Amino acid sequence: MSLPLAMKNLFSSLTGRFILGALAINLTLMPLFLFGINHAVERALQTSFIDRVRLDAHFFAETVAQSRDPALIREMLDDAMMSGRYVRAVLVETSPEQEETRKVETFQEDFFFGQGGDQIYHIAVPLPLNEDFESNFVLQLGYDETPVNEQIQEITRLCLYLAGIFLFLTLLASVIFGVRIMHPLRELRNTARAIASGGYDRALDVDTGISEIASLAGDFETMRRELVRHNKELEYQSLHDALTGLPNRVLLQDRLRQAIHTAQREDRPLALFMIDLDGFKSINDTLGHHYGDLLLQQVASRIKGVLRKSDTIARFGGDEFCILLPTITDARHATDIAGKIATTLEQPFFFEDQPYQVGLSIGIALYPEHGADSGVLMRHADVAMYIAKQNNLDYTIYDASQDQNNICRLSLMWDLRKAIENGDLHLDYQPIVDLHDGRIDAVEALVRWDHPQRGLVMPEEFIALAEQTNLIKPLTIWILTEAVHQCADWQGRGYDFRVAVNLSPRNLHEHDHPRQLMDIIEREAIDPAGLTLELTERAIISEPKGTRKILDAFHAMGVNLALDDFGTGYSSLGTLKKLPLSAIKIDKSFVMDLNEHKDSLTLVRAIIDLAHNLGLQVIAEGVASREIMHRLKSLGCDQAQGYFIARPLSPAGLECWLRDEDKGKTAQD
Ligand code: C2E
Ligand code: MG
Ligand code: MG
């Protein structure tokens, strides 16, 4: 590391600042302190020197004065100088006429130490000889100041040594102290960095005697533990289903990948089950979500009871579960377990003392037979599950020969879900005309799907698929909303034809659903008599009791009900009589070959008579030619719908068609 960089690091680190701060304080205060001490000692030495020499001068003067002879005194002074006691020792006679008087005048007594800069301290002391002589005598003494100056220098040097030692000790102490602070702080910093980068599993172990840092470290450790706990909670939540506590899709996928690795290494199979409950929706809708949730929890715990600890059961949302069996021996073993799961759900569930039954469909995919990676295995288990559902089986093992078709269907279903969300659908309307006066009586709303890749997709390709899944619900909501809105628009603009909308059997069998449909009709505030709902025979036959109630409710609203595709199902006369229907629609398969096949003619005639006897209107669909229309009219059929009259049209196209007089006349012919 270069010196400037090292200096920069030192300046920016806490230890560095601590040391530099201590140095700065000491370097500022130390000279003041030393100067003060030095000055005090210097003054003390000088004062004591002056006191001493003054006392000595007076004492010496007293001593030499006793001889009372100036010559002798001068000799004594010479001796004293010779002995080095004085630098100067002179006896001066102060009479004006004597030469020495001049010397007295030039002699300057010192008032302070070091005066004159000659290193001599001068003192003049009068000698008490006056009584014997006419003149006054003064003793002039000079003391050497050098020893005191040397002493002062010695002390200054000592002070400087002490200052050096003090500074060194201060530096040492601040380094030690700084390091002692820095070590735990660095530990805290490292922990903070580790936490920031997600590594908070290591406990914080800070050994420090500094209470503030110890308490900071304590807070840090509490925070770290909280984070660990919080993180574990989040991790658990992100990997588990909140309702059942089972692993979710993410965790299952992870375990599946690991299980595939192990199975590959140990060269043994594993199985993946995709499970979908049958009948869950109706329990959820009938009893409410609370019991729906309870049911899912109980289903989960029953299935768990059949599995081993090493198996994983996961919930994929809704009524879908997935099971990973990492230790099966063969396909037989897997189907045995599937059978056990099906059996365990055969026992009814009790809510509010009422027994409720749910069925299930299990799709089984085996590794390595049906896929070598998790994605393929899951897709194949899914396909197998749909096949089990379609065929009303408890479980099915994936079969590649059945798959191609199903993959297409699954992807179409996926696209349809998006189409409903994105509104990639539209409705065409096909006129239904009155055969008595040729006037338009109604239009039938027929859904079309504008698929981004496949182009226009007709309902026959996707309605059945939507009916097999839950998609029929949002699809019908979209269709009815759109058709009722269009109906309100036409009613508002004075058109008096009705709008017919097709409902699927499942639309009547889902608990909440009819209510939702009624809400849509009520929301648009249309005249309900302007709306017809077309139901197929299947809708009525499969659950006659429940359907009856719902149809009565629609009827009570004032909505017309028509039975679609009549002749293809097996509805009994008795059933028809009980239902609040206003019309039946003869299926186009009988109408289209009316003039070619005698059987069709007989059947159509019978249907028309029968319907009229029950007080129902008869509509013939699939009227593809003028001849057929004439024949239907002669048979007494009330209304007709078909390509000969008009193909399904967009709302704007229909309005054009209506304006066209010729088309109207065609109908009247
Ligand atoms: P559907 O309700 O019986 O509707 C009549 C079908 O016959 C329509 O076919 C119509 O275009 C067709 N059609 C009418 N006249 C003729 C004709 O002269 N010749 C021929 N060859 N066909 C004629 P589309 O639109 O393909 O619908 C087929 C079926 O799909 C409908 O039969 C209905 O069961 C279902 N569907 C259509 N739209 C909806 C809808 O919005 N909801 C539901 N649930 N089902 C719908
Ligand atoms: Mg129809
Ligand atoms: Mg029909």
Side-chain angles (χ1 to χ4, degrees):
M1 198 190 297
S2 68
L3 191 66
L5 189 64
M7 289 305 288
K8 194 175 165 232
N9 284 350
L10 187 68
F11 273 111
S12 57
S13 75
L14 185 65
T15 319
R17 288 188 184 192
F18 200 79
I19 294 167
L20 290 170
L23 273 180
I25 292 170
N26 283 303
L27 283 174
T28 320
L29 294 182
M30 186 59 52
L32 286 174
F33 181 65
L34 286 179
F35 177 78
I37 291 180
N38 207 36
H39 186 70
V41 170
E42 189 180 326
R43 292 301 296 270
L45 283 173
Q46 289 172 351
T47 311
S48 106
F49 171 79
I50 291 169
D51 290 348
R52 188 164 44 83
V53 297
R54 282 189 188 281
L55 198 67
D56 179 80
H58 284 283
F59 180 70
F60 187 60
E62 299 260 323
T63 311
V64 294
Q66 281 173 14
S67 68
R68 315 200 69 80
D69 177 2
L72 198 60
I73 290 173
R74 283 199 175 95
E75 261 178 49
M76 285 169 78
L77 291 181
D78 288 343
D79 285 350
M81 274 183 62
M82 287 292 284
S83 69
R85 188 171 170 183
Y86 305 104
V87 182
R88 176 193 172 97
V90 180
L91 183 67
V92 180
E93 197 174 349
T94 56
S95 120
E97 57 274 10
Q98 284 182 358
E99 196 184 322
E100 278 83 353
T101 310
R102 283 197 304 277
K103 287 185 185 165
V104 172
E105 284 164 357
T106 55
F107 180 81
Q108 280 285 323
E109 205 180 356
D110 284 350
F111 293 104
F112 55 87
F113 188 89
Q115 192 174 344
D118 53 1
Q119 305 270 335
I120 298 170
Y121 190 81
H122 297 277
I123 294 180
V125 189
L127 270 191
L129 297 175
N130 300 20
E131 293 154 24
D132 305 324
F133 302 94
E134 280 179 21
S135 315
N136 291 327
F137 286 91
V138 173
L139 189 60
Q140 293 180 343
L141 292 173
Y143 288 84
D144 189 4
E145 289 177 338
T146 316
V148 175
N149 280 331
E150 280 173 0
Q151 246 181 311
I152 290 171
Q153 276 171 12
E154 185 66 22
I155 284 171
T156 308
R157 241 192 324 274
L158 190 69
C159 280
L160 283 175
Y161 285 143
L162 283 176
I165 292 169
F166 183 81
L167 275 181
F168 172 74
L169 288 177
T170 308
L171 202 64
L172 193 70
S174 33
V175 169
I176 292 170
F177 198 61
V179 169
R180 274 187 66 89
I181 290 182
M182 264 323 285
H183 179 71
L185 282 180
R186 197 168 290 144
E187 190 77 6
L188 290 178
R189 185 195 63 190
N190 290 344
T191 309
R193 280 185 185 165
I195 289 172
S197 54
Y200 27 69
D201 289 339
R202 195 169 61 91
L204 179 65
D205 182 19
V206 175
D207 180 20
T208 176
I210 304 165
S211 59
E212 286 87 349
I213 297 184
S215 119
L216 185 65
D219 293 347
F220 238 80
E221 177 58 10
T222 314
M223 187 185 86
R224 188 195 65 82
R225 280 206 209 116
E226 266 304 296
L227 269 173
V228 169
R229 194 183 60 76
H230 192 62
N231 204 44
K232 278 199 179 131
E233 242 173 59
L234 278 180
E235 196 178 87
Y236 183 86
Q237 281 167 13
S238 69
L239 295 176
H240 291 81
D241 168 52
L243 177 66
T244 55
L246 295 177
N248 63 12
R249 186 184 290 267
V250 181
L251 186 54
L252 184 106
Q253 275 170 342
D254 189 52
R255 290 201 185 159
L256 178 58
R257 272 191 291 272
Q258 284 176 20
I260 289 174
H261 275 136
T262 317
Q264 197 175 21
R265 212 176 39 241
E266 294 174 5
D267 193 24
R268 55 177 175 72
L270 65 78
L272 189 71
F273 289 6
M274 208 60 88
I275 300 181
D276 193 80
L277 300 182
D278 304 326
F280 167 72
K281 281 264 172 307
S282 66
I283 292 183
N284 205 25
D285 292 343
T286 322
L287 293 176
H289 291 291
H290 170 64
Y291 286 107
D293 290 353
L294 276 181
L295 177 71
L296 287 173
Q297 285 166 342
Q298 290 184 17
V299 165
S301 96
R302 277 200 200 176
I303 297 179
K304 257 179 163 174
V306 178
L307 303 176
R308 291 188 191 164
K309 273 221 160 78
S310 55
D311 303 334
T312 300
I313 168 169
R315 181 171 171 230
F316 275 17
D319 57 357
E320 264 179 45
F321 293 86
C322 183
I323 297 175
L324 166 65
L325 303 167
T327 53
I328 53 140
T329 47
D330 50 22
R332 180 70 194 273
H333 188 181
T335 52
D336 283 352
I337 297 172
K340 278 188 199 161
I341 293 174
T343 313
T344 188
L345 292 193
E346 271 170 16
Q347 297 299 317
F349 294 87
F350 282 89
F351 300 115
E352 292 182 342
D353 295 334
Q354 290 294 314
Y356 290 91
Q357 199 90 37
V358 282
L360 84 176
S361 312
I362 306 177
I364 306 172
L366 302 170
Y367 169 87
E369 218 177 316
H370 303 138
D373 72 62
S374 60
V376 176
L377 273 181
M378 286 179 89
R379 207 174 62 234
H380 288 170
D382 220 27
V383 169
M385 189 265 285
Y386 273 107
I387 291 169
K389 208 176 241 321
Q390 270 171 20
N391 299 316
N392 234 340
L393 297 170
D394 285 343
Y395 57 84
T396 315
I397 293 197
Y398 171 75
D399 179 352
S401 63
Q402 295 173 313
D403 190 30
Q404 199 42 48
N405 188 21
N406 280 292
I407 294 269
C408 290
R409 287 158 64 85
L410 287 177
S411 83
L412 196 68
M413 201 174 73
W414 177 248
D415 290 352
L416 181 60
R417 191 188 304 273
K418 280 195 293 185
I420 298 168
E421 280 163 18
N422 300 343
D424 291 338
L425 304 165
H426 74 262
L427 295 181
D428 278 351
Y429 297 87
Q430 189 178 27
I432 299 170
V433 296
D434 193 312
L435 286 172
H436 307 301
D437 58 13
R439 282 169 55 83
I440 181 164
D441 187 72
V443 291
E444 181 177 7
L446 297 160
V447 68
R448 269 88 183 101
W449 176 8
D450 308 302
H451 193 286
Q453 280 88 38
R454 296 167 185 237
L456 191 68
V457 185
M458 297 305 278
E460 309 236 90
E461 282 184 67
F462 63 90
I463 290 285
L465 186 64
E467 279 174 350
Q468 281 163 22
T469 63
N470 277 330
L471 282 181
I472 194 64
K473 209 168 152 178
L475 180 65
T476 306
I477 287 176
W478 185 90
I479 293 167
L480 194 68
T481 309
E482 182 69 20
V484 169
H485 185 71
Q486 184 60 62
C487 178
D489 179 51
W490 278 326
Q491 284 185 0
R493 291 193 284 132
Y495 290 102
D496 63 354
F497 54 80
R498 280 177 284 125
V499 174
V501 179
N502 292 286
L503 290 189
S504 288
R506 274 190 77 171
N507 294 138
L508 300 181
H509 299 157
E510 303 262 345
H511 177 67
D512 251 7
H513 199 39
R515 183 66 254 167
Q516 286 176 330
L517 302 181
M518 287 176 193
D519 288 347
I520 296 170
I521 299 168
E522 280 165 357
R523 214 179 305 136
E524 282 286 354
I526 53 163
D527 173 7
L531 187 71
T532 302
L533 296 179
E534 295 189 5
L535 319 155
T536 56
E537 285 181 275
R538 267 190 303 138
I540 294 159
I541 296 161
S542 51
E543 260 182 71
K545 265 193 189 160
T547 315
R548 168 89 213 234
K549 263 192 186 168
I550 295 158
L551 295 186
D552 282 344
F554 277 122
H555 181 67
M557 284 177 81
V559 174
N560 306 291
L561 298 168
L563 193 62
D564 204 354
D565 302 344
F566 190 78
T568 54
Y570 307 94
S571 25
S572 72
L573 268 178
T575 320
L576 286 188
K577 220 175 146 185
K578 281 185 206 151
L579 296 172
L581 298 170
S582 59
I584 57 166
K585 292 182 79 173
I586 307 174
D587 192 69
K588 59 178 177 284
S589 57
F590 306 112
V591 177
M592 286 168 84
D593 57 5
L594 190 63
N595 286 339
E596 281 97 59
H597 288 95
K598 225 177 152 210
D599 289 352
S600 294
L601 180 66
T602 316
L603 200 86
V604 169
R605 182 182 286 132
I607 292 172
I608 293 171
D609 289 347
L610 168 83
H612 284 163
N613 283 337
L614 290 171
L616 300 170
Q617 292 267 303
V618 181
I619 305 161
E621 61 180 29
V623 179
S625 67
R626 186 187 299 270
E627 293 72 38
I628 292 175
M629 200 162 80
H630 280 167
R631 177 58 64 91
L632 285 166
K633 205 173 167 184
S634 68
L635 290 173
C637 184
D638 303 294
Q639 288 155 28
Q641 171 186 3
Y643 290 175
F644 173 67
I645 301 160
R647 283 183 174 264
L649 300 160
S650 67
L654 180 80
E655 288 171 29
C656 264
W657 180 85
L658 285 169
R659 280 196 293 271
D660 190 332
E661 286 295 311
D662 290 340
K663 291 279 178 335
K665 278 181 196 144
T666 313
Q668 271 181 337
D669 285 343

